[in-house]
Amino acid sequence: KAGVTQTPRYLIKTRGQQVTLSCSPISGHRSVSWYQQTPGQGLQFLFEYFSETQRNKGNFPGRFSGRQFSNSRSEMNVSTLELGDSALYLCASSHSGLAAPLAKNIQYFGAGTRLSVL
Amino acid sequence: DQQVKQNSPSLSVQEGRISILNCDYTNSMFDYFLWYKKYPAEGPTFLISISSIKDKNEDGRFTVFLNKSAKHLSLHIVPSQPGDSAVYFCAASEAGTYKYIFGTGTRLKVLA
Protein backbone atom coordinates (compact mmCIF):
# COMPACT_ATOMS: atom_id res chain seq x y z
CA LYS A 1 0.00 0.00 0.00
CA ALA A 2 1.53 3.31 -1.05
CA GLY A 3 2.24 5.85 1.65
CA VAL A 4 1.52 9.56 1.74
CA THR A 5 3.09 11.28 -1.23
CA GLN A 6 4.07 14.93 -1.22
CA THR A 7 5.25 16.88 -4.24
CA PRO A 8 7.52 18.55 -4.87
CA ARG A 9 10.15 17.52 -2.32
CA TYR A 10 12.05 20.78 -2.59
CA LEU A 11 11.11 24.29 -3.66
CA ILE A 12 12.96 27.55 -3.86
CA LYS A 13 10.93 30.73 -4.18
CA THR A 14 11.50 34.44 -3.69
CA ARG A 15 9.64 36.81 -1.43
CA GLY A 16 6.26 37.87 -2.75
CA GLN A 17 5.72 34.80 -4.88
CA GLN A 18 3.11 32.18 -4.21
CA VAL A 19 3.48 28.42 -3.97
CA THR A 20 1.24 25.35 -4.16
CA LEU A 21 2.14 22.09 -2.47
CA SER A 22 0.43 18.80 -3.16
CA CYS A 23 -0.39 15.80 -1.00
CA SER A 24 -1.79 12.41 -2.00
CA PRO A 25 -3.02 10.49 1.04
CA ILE A 26 -2.91 6.77 1.64
CA SER A 27 -5.61 5.04 -0.38
CA GLY A 28 -8.83 4.94 1.62
CA HIS A 29 -7.83 7.76 3.95
CA ARG A 30 -10.24 10.67 3.91
CA SER A 31 -8.62 13.03 6.39
CA VAL A 32 -5.63 15.15 5.43
CA SER A 33 -3.78 17.49 7.79
CA TRP A 34 -1.00 19.96 7.08
CA TYR A 35 1.80 21.00 9.41
CA GLN A 36 4.70 23.43 9.28
CA GLN A 37 7.96 22.36 10.88
CA THR A 38 10.65 24.90 11.72
CA PRO A 39 13.73 24.44 13.93
CA GLY A 40 12.80 24.74 17.60
CA GLN A 41 9.07 25.01 16.91
CA GLY A 42 8.11 21.43 16.38
CA LEU A 43 5.17 20.73 14.11
CA GLN A 44 2.66 23.55 13.95
CA PHE A 45 -0.83 22.60 12.81
CA LEU A 46 -2.07 24.44 9.73
CA PHE A 47 -5.42 22.86 8.88
CA GLU A 48 -7.31 19.60 8.49
CA TYR A 49 -9.66 18.49 5.73
CA PHE A 50 -12.15 15.68 5.64
CA SER A 51 -14.38 14.96 2.65
CA GLU A 52 -13.44 18.28 1.05
CA THR A 53 -14.39 20.28 4.16
CA GLN A 54 -11.97 22.14 6.38
CA ARG A 55 -12.78 21.07 9.93
CA ASN A 56 -10.10 22.94 11.84
CA LYS A 57 -7.51 25.59 11.27
CA GLY A 58 -4.40 26.59 13.16
CA ASN A 59 -3.13 30.06 13.99
CA PHE A 60 -1.66 31.00 10.66
CA PRO A 61 -2.39 34.09 8.57
CA GLY A 62 -4.84 34.00 5.71
CA ARG A 63 -1.95 33.73 3.24
CA PHE A 64 -2.01 30.04 4.06
CA SER A 65 -4.91 28.20 2.50
CA GLY A 66 -5.78 24.72 1.43
CA ARG A 67 -8.31 22.56 -0.25
CA GLN A 68 -9.20 18.93 -0.69
CA PHE A 69 -10.51 17.24 -3.77
CA SER A 70 -13.12 14.51 -4.11
CA ASN A 71 -10.37 11.88 -4.38
CA SER A 72 -9.00 13.09 -0.99
CA ARG A 73 -5.89 14.62 -2.54
CA SER A 74 -5.08 17.96 -0.97
CA GLU A 75 -3.22 21.10 -1.90
CA MET A 76 -1.83 23.85 0.25
CA ASN A 77 -1.22 27.34 -1.06
CA VAL A 78 0.90 30.11 0.40
CA SER A 79 0.58 33.52 -1.17
CA THR A 80 2.89 36.52 -0.86
CA LEU A 81 5.73 34.46 0.51
CA GLU A 82 7.83 35.83 3.36
CA LEU A 83 11.31 34.77 4.48
CA GLY A 84 9.77 33.28 7.64
CA ASP A 85 7.74 30.85 5.56
CA SER A 86 10.89 28.83 4.91
CA ALA A 87 10.14 25.49 6.53
CA LEU A 88 9.39 21.84 6.02
CA TYR A 89 5.70 21.39 5.20
CA LEU A 90 4.30 18.03 6.18
CA CYS A 91 1.09 16.40 5.16
CA ALA A 92 -0.52 13.58 7.13
CA SER A 93 -3.48 11.37 6.36
CA SER A 94 -5.70 9.24 8.53
CA HIS A 95 -8.55 6.92 7.85
CA SER A 96 -11.39 8.78 9.43
CA GLY A 97 -10.07 11.81 11.16
CA LEU A 98 -10.10 12.53 14.85
CA ALA A 99 -13.82 11.99 15.38
CA ALA A 100 -13.41 8.30 14.66
CA PRO A 101 -12.42 5.44 16.97
CA LEU A 102 -8.93 6.14 18.16
CA ALA A 103 -7.12 3.53 16.11
CA LYS A 104 -8.43 5.20 12.96
CA ASN A 105 -7.12 8.57 14.11
CA ILE A 106 -3.48 7.73 13.67
CA GLN A 107 -1.90 10.10 11.21
CA TYR A 108 0.64 8.88 8.70
CA PHE A 109 3.04 11.44 7.34
CA GLY A 110 4.62 12.09 4.00
CA ALA A 111 8.30 12.99 3.66
CA GLY A 112 7.44 16.67 3.36
CA THR A 113 8.17 19.55 1.03
CA ARG A 114 11.09 21.72 1.99
CA LEU A 115 10.37 25.30 1.01
CA SER A 116 13.11 27.89 0.94
CA VAL A 117 12.14 31.53 0.49
CA LEU A 118 14.95 33.83 -0.64
CA ASP B 1 1.01 29.01 24.32
CA GLN B 2 2.74 25.66 24.09
CA GLN B 3 0.19 23.09 25.21
CA VAL B 4 2.57 20.16 24.71
CA LYS B 5 6.14 20.55 25.94
CA GLN B 6 9.24 18.46 25.55
CA ASN B 7 11.71 20.20 27.82
CA SER B 8 14.75 18.15 26.86
CA PRO B 9 15.92 19.05 23.36
CA SER B 10 18.43 16.20 23.36
CA LEU B 11 19.34 12.99 25.14
CA SER B 12 22.29 10.61 24.83
CA VAL B 13 22.11 7.00 26.02
CA GLN B 14 24.44 4.03 25.81
CA GLU B 15 23.36 1.12 23.64
CA GLY B 16 21.49 -1.48 25.68
CA ARG B 17 20.42 0.97 28.36
CA ILE B 18 16.99 2.51 28.87
CA SER B 19 15.99 5.72 27.08
CA ILE B 20 13.30 7.81 28.78
CA LEU B 21 11.74 10.65 26.84
CA ASN B 22 9.37 13.00 28.61
CA CYS B 23 6.45 15.15 27.60
CA ASP B 24 4.23 17.48 29.61
CA TYR B 25 0.89 18.91 28.60
CA THR B 26 -1.39 21.59 29.96
CA ASN B 27 -4.80 20.82 28.44
CA SER B 28 -6.75 18.41 30.62
CA MET B 29 -9.17 17.80 27.74
CA PHE B 30 -6.56 15.88 25.73
CA ASP B 31 -7.73 12.28 25.46
CA TYR B 32 -5.30 10.65 23.05
CA PHE B 33 -1.52 10.77 23.01
CA LEU B 34 1.01 9.56 20.49
CA TRP B 35 4.73 9.31 19.96
CA TYR B 36 6.35 9.74 16.58
CA LYS B 37 9.92 9.16 15.49
CA LYS B 38 11.56 11.23 12.79
CA TYR B 39 14.71 10.54 10.82
CA PRO B 40 16.36 13.30 8.76
CA ALA B 41 14.77 13.87 5.35
CA GLU B 42 11.78 11.69 6.26
CA GLY B 43 8.34 12.40 7.65
CA PRO B 44 7.48 11.43 11.23
CA THR B 45 6.66 7.76 11.72
CA PHE B 46 4.02 6.64 14.18
CA LEU B 47 5.50 4.71 17.09
CA ILE B 48 2.97 4.12 19.84
CA SER B 49 -0.16 5.69 21.28
CA ILE B 50 -2.21 5.69 24.45
CA SER B 51 -5.75 6.64 25.31
CA SER B 52 -6.48 8.71 28.39
CA ILE B 53 -8.39 5.80 29.90
CA LYS B 54 -5.14 3.85 30.22
CA ASP B 55 -1.93 4.56 32.10
CA LYS B 56 0.39 2.27 30.17
CA ASN B 57 0.73 0.82 26.72
CA GLU B 58 3.47 -1.51 25.59
CA ASP B 59 4.67 -2.52 22.15
CA GLY B 60 7.87 -4.52 22.05
CA ARG B 61 10.77 -2.39 23.27
CA PHE B 62 8.54 0.68 23.54
CA THR B 63 6.31 1.55 26.48
CA VAL B 64 4.33 4.72 26.96
CA PHE B 65 3.24 5.83 30.42
CA LEU B 66 0.53 8.38 31.10
CA ASN B 67 0.15 10.20 34.41
CA LYS B 68 -3.03 12.22 34.06
CA SER B 69 -2.84 13.89 37.44
CA ALA B 70 0.62 15.22 36.61
CA LYS B 71 -0.28 15.81 32.95
CA HIS B 72 2.86 13.91 32.05
CA LEU B 73 3.66 11.39 29.35
CA SER B 74 6.83 9.36 28.95
CA LEU B 75 8.26 6.96 26.41
CA HIS B 76 10.60 4.20 27.55
CA ILE B 77 12.80 2.37 25.09
CA VAL B 78 14.42 -0.79 26.43
CA PRO B 79 16.99 -1.80 25.35
CA SER B 80 18.08 1.20 23.30
CA GLN B 81 19.68 0.50 19.93
CA PRO B 82 21.75 2.75 17.64
CA GLY B 83 18.92 2.62 15.08
CA ASP B 84 16.70 4.37 17.63
CA SER B 85 18.73 7.55 17.15
CA ALA B 86 16.19 10.05 15.83
CA VAL B 87 14.02 12.97 16.88
CA TYR B 88 11.01 11.93 18.95
CA PHE B 89 7.83 13.97 19.03
CA CYS B 90 4.95 13.56 21.41
CA ALA B 91 1.51 14.66 20.26
CA ALA B 92 -1.89 15.05 21.86
CA SER B 93 -5.41 15.44 20.63
CA GLU B 94 -8.73 16.50 22.06
CA ALA B 95 -11.86 14.75 20.88
CA GLY B 96 -13.75 16.76 18.30
CA THR B 97 -10.96 19.20 17.47
CA TYR B 98 -9.59 17.26 14.49
CA LYS B 99 -6.00 18.20 15.16
CA TYR B 100 -2.88 17.03 16.92
CA ILE B 101 -0.73 19.33 19.03
CA PHE B 102 2.93 18.39 18.81
CA GLY B 103 5.80 19.02 21.16
CA THR B 104 9.06 20.51 19.90
CA GLY B 105 10.85 17.17 19.85
CA THR B 106 13.74 15.46 21.66
CA ARG B 107 16.77 14.32 19.72
CA LEU B 108 17.85 10.91 20.97
CA LYS B 109 21.34 9.66 20.31
CA VAL B 110 22.12 6.06 21.18
CA LEU B 111 25.84 5.51 21.50
CA ALA B 112 27.31 2.18 20.39
Side-chain angles (χ1 to χ4, degrees):
Chain A
K1 198 173 189 180
V4 178
T5 303
Q6 291 188 247
T7 55
R9 289 295 310 275
Y10 303 93
L11 264 179
I12 299 175
K13 293 286 187 179
T14 56
R15 279 180 299 174
Q17 287 187 309
Q18 75 162 15
V19 67
T20 299
L21 312 182
S22 180
C23 173
S24 293
I26 292 171
S27 178
H29 284 193
R30 296 169 64 190
S31 169
V32 174
S33 297
W34 288 88
Y35 296 85
Q36 180 195 67
Q37 185 188 9
T38 53
Q41 292 296 314
L43 279 71
Q44 302 289 312
F45 173 77
L46 281 154
F47 26 67
E48 189 261 0
Y49 287 88
F50 182 82
S51 292
E52 303 177 66
T53 299
Q54 185 183 91
R55 297 195 296 188
N56 204 341
K57 188 177 187 305
N59 297 323
F60 280 81
R63 300 185 296 107
F64 291 81
S65 63
R67 59 178 176 168
Q68 187 181 33
F69 302 95
S70 58
N71 61 358
S72 294
R73 191 177 71 84
S74 178
E75 288 182 347
M76 190 191 93
N77 185 275
V78 188
S79 62
T80 320
L81 284 165
E82 300 177 0
L83 295 179
D85 297 333
S86 295
L88 179 67
Y89 290 89
L90 291 160
C91 164
S93 74
S94 65
H95 188 274
S96 300
L98 296 183
L102 297 178
K104 293 187 181 295
N105 292 350
I106 295 170
Q107 294 185 353
Y108 297 89
F109 283 82
T113 294
R114 179 148 317 265
L115 172 65
S116 296
V117 182
L118 307 178
Chain B
D1 66 346
Q2 192 71 26
Q3 296 186 67
V4 177
K5 297 178 184 177
Q6 293 178 257
N7 293 316
S8 298
S10 63
L11 175 69
S12 291
V13 172
Q14 284 295 131
E15 181 180 6
R17 305 295 290 269
I18 184 171
S19 294
I20 301 176
L21 295 96
N22 295 304
C23 181
D24 296 299
Y25 61 95
T26 58
N27 186 347
S28 58
M29 298 300 290
F30 287 146
D31 63 350
Y32 193 50
F33 303 88
L34 309 91
W35 284 94
Y36 282 84
K37 177 170 72 173
K38 187 179 186 300
Y39 293 118
E42 295 182 13
T45 304
F46 169 72
L47 203 53
I48 192 169
S49 62
I50 188 167
S51 160
S52 60
I53 61 173
K54 295 186 172 182
D55 54 21
K56 177 182 173 181
N57 188 25
E58 198 170 349
D59 184 1
R61 297 187 297 114
F62 302 91
T63 303
V64 57
F65 295 92
L66 177 62
N67 183 332
K68 287 186 289 295
S69 61
K71 296 191 179 67
H72 180 78
L73 188 70
S74 64
L75 174 68
H76 292 209
I77 306 174
V78 185
S80 300
Q81 300 173 353
D84 296 329
S85 297
V87 177
Y88 289 78
F89 292 97
C90 65
S93 73
E94 177 184 346
T97 61
Y98 312 114
K99 68 178 183 181
Y100 288 167
I101 305 296
F102 279 82
T104 52
T106 296
R107 183 177 301 277
L108 173 66
K109 188 171 184 179
V110 180
L111 307 169

